[in-house]
């Protein structure tokens, strides 16, 4: 009997445009859209920042020593135009503020003499740090000039550069690519799956309970020789399935965008990403999402049963989304790890467990504890749903 | 056969409702100590103005709500202790019944037949009989949401009768319907009587009652005001019309 109810409810749900958009269309498009925009925008910004001819203000004259050194910098480090300010630093700074200049260099009028005498001197480089790429460009220019000056001094002092370099340092990353990916996106991905799981449940929950009341079909249904718990279970399975499907389509969207949008140029990282998105990972992820989705359905059903209209139900359930996603957001912060305490916090535990799964470093006892916590909550939520669905005052308006 | 004895339904009142009713009582009776019987092959009408307790009574008969006290026997089954068994014997149709707009008539009827555990060959047979009878074949594959009110009402009738119930409950079945659609309901009630089914229907339209029913009960504010045959009601009338007599009975 429950299967008959499930079959009918699923058929109806799949014919509801709102549910289909929320369960299938938006989840499957979200990652391609986000990644397309992020990758497209950031690469176009980087490209334009690299190729932009910077207007550089210099405090001295167009033929002074510093200007000559700047002119010697090859165009490969970025094109530039020099604008001399003949000692007027106030005007130059004002022009920088007004964005008439991109970068300014302020230096002593005896800059060249001091360098020759090997006396300390100061070089100020000023720019608007909110402009992408200016930071790197300024560093490259200064490093180029500084390296040339150093070489000159080594020659003057007759010093072998090798002798004054005590050691060469190399920093190596001991974290595997998988762990790095886990840290970078491990919190964000489960957040997305949880958000879509919630939204995927919302419309079917309202449609299958409040909708029945609003359309006047509930009374007829309750005159059939089927018990209320069977209706509840049949409908609930559809709601849970919709939530899981929304999460699944979000995952599918992610998989498709990674594999067909060429957003990961490094083949090594691409290999690791595909290893992460294995069938084993997907199964483990949905094993964790299952009690969470049951819990979502369990908290939505009593509201949907209690409310009289679609709008009323939506106005209560939609803000609940923020409440549910708050603990999920905590998982995005660095330093929050899965331990006995965090495994007891619903939703956050799922985010952190999934983060661990993505990073390939998961303590399975904590995974089991997280699952158990969510399972207990899901059972409580289902019991509340059953109690509310049994109330005459909630069923008949 | 329906046997109802000393049936009552008490609702708790919230602060707002107490203020509206100008009472300090925490409870109010929607139905109080109602008793009646309805036999197979007989049309029994439950009459009363709006808010009289008709719908509450019929909802208790169809086991959608549980009585506070009293007993209901539906086709020999105690509807309070064995509600699911009692529901198997009932077909329930109300004027305000909604249908699933995204299903077509075939899908909807199949679904309800499955809820009543009707075997597939019987469903096919009953569907063919009812679809032919109600002239539904032309729109049976169309989504219900796209059907006219009359067509929807036919689907509702078919849904009510698919499991061939021995007891049929109609709660203001013609309410809000045009005369042609209402006529299909009147015909259905007559057919049920001729098929020896037990029929109970509620209404506040005296003309409809006069036309159809064998026995009637008039209720007002949850209490029984009159119970007897239609014939004896007509005989004891002191007013010129049945409607006037009904109003007099209610106001007595």
């Amino acid at each position: 009997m429950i299967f008959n109810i499930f079959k009918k409810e699923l058929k109806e749900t799949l014919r509801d445009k709102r549910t289909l958009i929320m369960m299938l269309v938006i989840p499957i498009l979200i990652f391609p859209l986000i990644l397309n925009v992020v990758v497209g925008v950031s690469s176009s910004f980087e490209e334009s920042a690299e190729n932009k001819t910077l207007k550089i203000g210099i405090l001295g004259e167009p033929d002074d020593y510093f200007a000559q050194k700047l002119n010697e910098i090859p165009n490969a480090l970025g094109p530039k135009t020099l604008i001399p300010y003949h000692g007027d630093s106030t005007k130059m700074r004002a022009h920088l503020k007004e964005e008439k200049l991109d970068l300014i260099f302020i230096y002593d009028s005896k800059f060249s003499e001091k360098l020759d005498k090997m006396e300390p001197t100061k070089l100020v480089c000023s720019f608007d740090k909110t402009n992408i790429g200016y930071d790197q460009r300024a560093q490259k220019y200064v490093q180029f000039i500084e390296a040339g000056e150093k070489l000159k001094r080594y020659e003057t002092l007759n010093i072998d550069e090798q002798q004054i370099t005590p050691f060469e340092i190399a920093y190596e990353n001991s974290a595997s690519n998988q762990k790095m990916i886990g840290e970078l996106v491990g919190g964000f991905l489960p957040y997305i799956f949880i958000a879509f799981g919630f939204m995927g449940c919302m419309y079917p929950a309202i449609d299958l309970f409040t909708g029945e009341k609003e359309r006047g079909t509930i009374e007829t249904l309750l005159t059939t020789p089927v018990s209320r718990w069977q209706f509840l279970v049949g409908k609930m399975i559809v709601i849970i399935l919709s939530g899981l499907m929304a999460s699944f389509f979000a995952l599918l969207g992610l998989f498709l965008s990674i594999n067909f949008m060429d957003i990961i140029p490094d083949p090594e990282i691409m290999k690791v990403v595909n290893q992460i998105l294995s069938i084993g990972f997907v199964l483990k992820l949905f094993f964790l999402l299952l009690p969470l989705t049951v819990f979502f359905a369990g908290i939505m059903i009593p509201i949907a049963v209690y409310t009289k209209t679609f709008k009323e139900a939506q106005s209560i359930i939609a803000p609940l989304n923020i409440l549910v996603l708050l603990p999920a957001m905590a998982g995005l912060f660095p330093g929050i790890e899965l331990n006995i305490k965090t495994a007891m916090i619903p939703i956050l535990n799922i985010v952190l467990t999934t983060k661990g799964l993505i990073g390939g470093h998961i303590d399975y006892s904590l995974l089991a504890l997280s699952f158990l916590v969510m399972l207990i909550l899901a059972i409580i939520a289902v019991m509340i749903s059953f109690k509310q669905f049994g109330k005459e005052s909630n069923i008949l308006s | 056969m329906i046997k109802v004895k000393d049936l009552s339904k008490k609702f708790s009142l919230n602060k707002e409702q107490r203020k509206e009713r100008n009472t300090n009582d925490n409870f109010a009776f929607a139905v109080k100590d109602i008793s009646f019987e309805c036999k197979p092959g007989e049309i029994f009408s439950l009459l009363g103005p709006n808010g009289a307790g008709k719908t509450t009574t019929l909802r208790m008969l169809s086991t959608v709500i549980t009585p506070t006290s009293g007993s209901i026997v539906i086709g020999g089954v105690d509807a309070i202790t064995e509600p699911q068994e009692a529901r198997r014997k009932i077909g329930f149709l109300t004027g305000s019944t909604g249908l699933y707009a995204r299903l077509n008539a075939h899908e909807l009827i199949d679904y309800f037949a499955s809820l009543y555990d009707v075997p597939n060959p019987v469903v096919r047979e009953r569907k063919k009989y009812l679809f032919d009878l109600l002239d539904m074949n032309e729109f049976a594959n169309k989504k219900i949401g796209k059907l006219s009110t009359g067509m929807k009402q036919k689907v509702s009738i078919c849904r009510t009768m698919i499991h061939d119930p021995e007891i049929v409950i109609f709660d203001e079945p013609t309410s809000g319907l045009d005369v042609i659609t209402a006529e299909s309901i009147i015909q259905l009630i007559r057919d049920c009587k001729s098929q020896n089914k037990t029929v109970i229907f509620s209404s506040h339209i005296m003309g409809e009652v006069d036309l159809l029913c064998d026995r009637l009960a008039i209720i007002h504010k949850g209490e029984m005001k009159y119970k007897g045959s239609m014939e004896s009601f007509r005989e004891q009338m002191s007013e010129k019309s049945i409607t006037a007599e009904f109003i007099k009975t209610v106001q007595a």
Side-chain angles (χ1 to χ4, degrees):
Chain A
M1 187 54 69
I2 291 172
F3 181 67
N4 285 338
I5 297 164
F6 163 76
K7 220 166 56 176
K8 176 260 167 187
E9 301 296 6
L10 185 66
K11 191 183 280 179
E12 255 211 306
T13 299
L14 292 177
R15 287 178 186 173
D16 179 30
K17 279 181 197 157
R18 277 178 302 203
T19 305
L20 276 186
I21 289 171
M22 205 47 102
M23 187 179 85
L24 199 150
V25 182
I26 296 178
I28 211 162
L29 290 180
I30 193 80
F31 278 115
L33 282 176
I34 290 178
L35 293 173
N36 204 10
V37 169
V38 169
V39 172
V41 169
S42 66
S43 62
S44 82
F45 265 122
E46 274 170 25
E47 207 178 312
S48 69
E50 270 174 27
N51 298 327
K52 190 180 175 187
T53 303
L54 292 192
K55 281 179 264 172
I56 301 177
I58 52 167
L59 190 61
E61 302 303 322
D63 54 353
D64 70 13
Y65 183 75
F66 189 73
Q68 282 171 31
K69 288 291 146 193
L70 271 177
N71 280 324
E72 281 171 18
I73 297 171
N75 256 354
L77 295 183
K80 61 199 170 304
T81 319
L82 302 189
I83 302 158
Y85 277 78
H86 315 290
D88 190 350
S89 67
T90 317
K91 190 180 172 189
M92 188 165 73
R93 280 188 186 277
H95 282 177
L96 179 68
K97 279 225 161 178
E98 290 162 18
E99 295 186 358
K100 286 178 183 167
L101 292 172
D102 300 313
L103 204 73
I104 59 168
F105 284 109
I106 299 169
Y107 46 90
D108 200 323
S109 56
K110 292 174 180 169
F111 184 73
S112 148
E113 285 169 40
K114 283 186 177 176
L115 281 178
D116 288 344
K117 287 179 190 169
M118 293 188 203
E119 283 176 12
T121 187
K122 200 176 171 187
L123 175 71
V124 177
C125 175
S126 184
F127 56 90
D128 183 346
K129 229 177 175 176
T130 58
N131 287 320
I132 296 169
Y134 284 18
D135 200 345
Q136 290 92 325
R137 193 83 83 88
Q139 273 182 27
K140 279 182 197 170
Y141 291 159
V142 173
Q143 276 168 2
F144 185 86
I145 296 171
E146 192 189 17
E149 290 305 319
K150 271 185 182 172
L151 268 178
K152 235 165 83 182
R153 285 192 184 183
Y154 295 147
E155 276 174 24
T156 314
L157 297 169
N158 202 18
I159 297 171
D160 181 2
E161 192 187 348
Q162 295 285 327
Q163 284 177 320
I164 60 158
T165 309
F167 52 82
E168 268 184 29
I169 189 157
Y171 293 99
E172 281 183 359
N173 185 2
S174 70
S176 65
N177 282 339
Q178 184 172 0
K179 196 173 178 189
M180 286 297 290
I181 292 166
E183 273 309 302
L184 288 171
V185 296
F188 171 69
L189 289 185
Y191 173 82
I192 291 279
F193 298 137
I194 289 169
F196 277 108
F198 187 90
M199 286 190 274
C201 287
M202 189 170 85
Y203 280 120
I206 300 174
D207 188 50
L208 298 184
F209 287 93
T210 318
E212 288 262 18
K213 283 167 77 177
E214 209 174 9
R215 292 187 294 261
T217 46
I218 189 82
E219 198 174 352
T220 327
L221 210 56
L222 298 179
T223 61
T224 60
V226 179
S227 59
R228 287 185 192 186
W229 73 265
Q230 285 174 308
F231 282 121
L232 180 76
V233 173
K235 285 169 181 282
M236 201 173 203
I237 295 172
V238 175
I239 297 166
I240 294 163
L241 191 68
S242 301
L244 290 175
M245 289 309 277
S247 300
F248 173 77
F249 284 120
L251 187 68
L252 185 68
L254 174 70
F255 180 79
L256 294 175
S257 19
I258 286 171
N259 281 284
F260 297 104
M261 276 174 54
D262 199 24
I263 52 168
I264 303 173
D266 188 337
E268 272 302 305
I269 295 186
M270 184 71 191
K271 203 173 140 190
V272 175
V273 169
N274 276 323
Q275 268 170 9
I276 293 173
L277 294 175
S278 65
I279 292 174
F281 166 76
V282 175
L283 289 176
K284 281 177 204 161
L285 175 70
F286 280 89
F287 171 73
L288 288 169
L289 288 179
L290 181 66
L292 181 73
T293 318
V294 176
F295 170 67
F296 285 161
I299 56 170
M300 285 180 199
I301 291 171
I303 298 168
V305 168
Y306 173 76
T307 50
K308 289 184 172 67
T309 63
F310 202 98
K311 271 188 180 174
E312 191 189 355
Q314 203 176 10
S315 69
I316 300 176
I317 295 176
L320 204 67
N321 192 3
I322 299 163
L323 205 70
V324 161
L325 289 178
L326 272 179
M329 280 177 197
L332 297 171
F333 299 126
I336 296 185
E337 299 285 332
L338 184 67
N339 51 41
I340 292 186
K341 274 186 192 166
T342 51
M344 304 288 273
I345 303 170
I347 303 168
L348 175 65
N349 54 8
I350 301 298
V351 174
L352 296 176
T353 313
T354 315
K355 200 172 169 180
L357 279 177
I358 294 170
H361 54 93
I362 183 76
D363 180 339
Y364 280 92
S365 60
L366 291 176
L367 182 145
L369 180 63
S370 304
F371 182 82
L372 191 71
V373 167
M374 287 316 302
L375 190 69
I376 292 168
L377 272 177
I379 291 168
I380 294 170
V382 172
M383 283 162 70
I384 295 170
S385 291
F386 182 69
K387 208 177 163 193
Q388 290 299 312
F389 193 53
K391 272 190 182 175
E392 285 173 5
S393 55
N394 281 339
I395 295 296
L396 305 169
S397 48
Chain B
M1 175 92 169
I2 300 172
K3 282 184 189 171
V4 173
K5 200 167 178 229
D6 300 329
L7 192 67
S8 295
K9 181 69 184 177
K10 209 161 65 168
F11 287 107
S12 56
L13 297 174
N14 60 32
K15 206 176 166 185
E16 208 176 303
Q17 288 166 324
R18 281 200 295 271
K19 205 176 166 186
E20 266 172 31
R21 290 170 181 239
N22 199 18
T23 175
N24 290 324
D25 296 340
N26 290 325
F27 295 95
F29 279 95
V31 172
K32 198 174 179 187
D33 296 329
I34 280 181
S35 301
F36 61 84
E37 274 187 23
C38 182
K39 293 172 192 142
E42 183 181 80
I43 299 175
F44 183 86
S45 177
L46 208 54
L47 247 98
N50 290 338
K54 304 186 294 288
T55 298
T56 305
T57 305
L58 296 186
R59 278 176 175 174
M60 283 191 280
L61 293 189
S62 58
T63 78
V64 175
I65 57 174
T66 316
T68 310
S69 61
S71 67
I72 304 166
V73 177
I74 301 277
V77 176
D78 187 327
I80 295 163
T81 55
E82 292 176 90
Q84 269 176 259
E85 207 43 53
R87 276 182 236 147
R88 286 189 188 282
K89 297 173 181 288
I90 298 171
F92 188 79
L93 182 73
T94 80
S96 58
T97 301
L99 295 165
Y100 299 107
R102 283 173 239 139
L103 299 184
N104 64 36
H106 273 297
E107 290 167 338
L108 183 116
I109 302 303
D110 287 346
Y111 176 54
F112 274 89
S114 78
L115 296 181
Y116 284 98
D117 266 336
V118 184
N120 282 342
V122 181
V123 177
R124 278 195 290 273
E125 201 182 294
R126 288 282 301 162
K127 231 166 45 169
K128 189 180 179 318
Y129 166 72
L130 289 165
F131 279 26
D132 288 344
L133 185 77
L134 297 164
D135 200 14
M136 283 174 59
N137 290 304
E138 219 171 276
F139 59 84
N141 286 313
K142 268 191 188 171
K143 294 263 167 67
I144 291 168
K146 292 185 176 166
L147 302 182
S148 68
T149 312
M151 288 169 175
K152 281 180 188 163
Q153 198 57 29
K154 285 181 179 181
V155 179
S156 286
I157 294 170
C158 188
R159 180 206 38 83
T160 310
M161 305 308 293
I162 189 66
H163 59 295
D164 200 11
E166 61 174 86
I167 289 153
V168 194
I169 300 173
F170 297 96
D171 184 13
E172 303 203 355
T174 57
S175 157
L177 298 180
D178 62 64
V179 279
I180 299 167
T181 318
E183 185 53 35
S184 63
I185 303 280
I186 305 281
Q187 191 51 49
L188 171 72
I189 295 173
R190 283 198 181 114
D191 289 349
C192 287
K193 179 184 160 82
S194 63
Q195 287 164 16
N196 206 36
K197 294 184 190 297
T198 306
V199 181
I200 178 162
F201 84 98
S202 74
S203 180
H204 58 265
I205 307 165
M206 277 311 291
E208 207 172 78
V209 175
D210 189 26
L211 191 74
L212 288 168
C213 82
D214 300 305
R215 290 196 311 119
L216 80 157
I218 297 175
I219 57 171
H220 181 51
K221 290 183 179 170
E223 290 182 38
M224 189 78 87
K225 294 285 180 182
Y226 177 86
K227 188 171 64 178
S229 69
M230 192 64 217
E231 210 177 300
S232 59
F233 183 75
R234 278 193 210 100
E235 277 169 13
Q236 55 92 60
M237 266 172 59
S238 57
E239 297 291 327
K240 281 180 186 170
S241 71
I242 292 180
T243 305
E245 185 64 25
F246 164 68
I247 293 167
K248 195 189 101 182
T249 311
V250 165
Q251 288 174 343

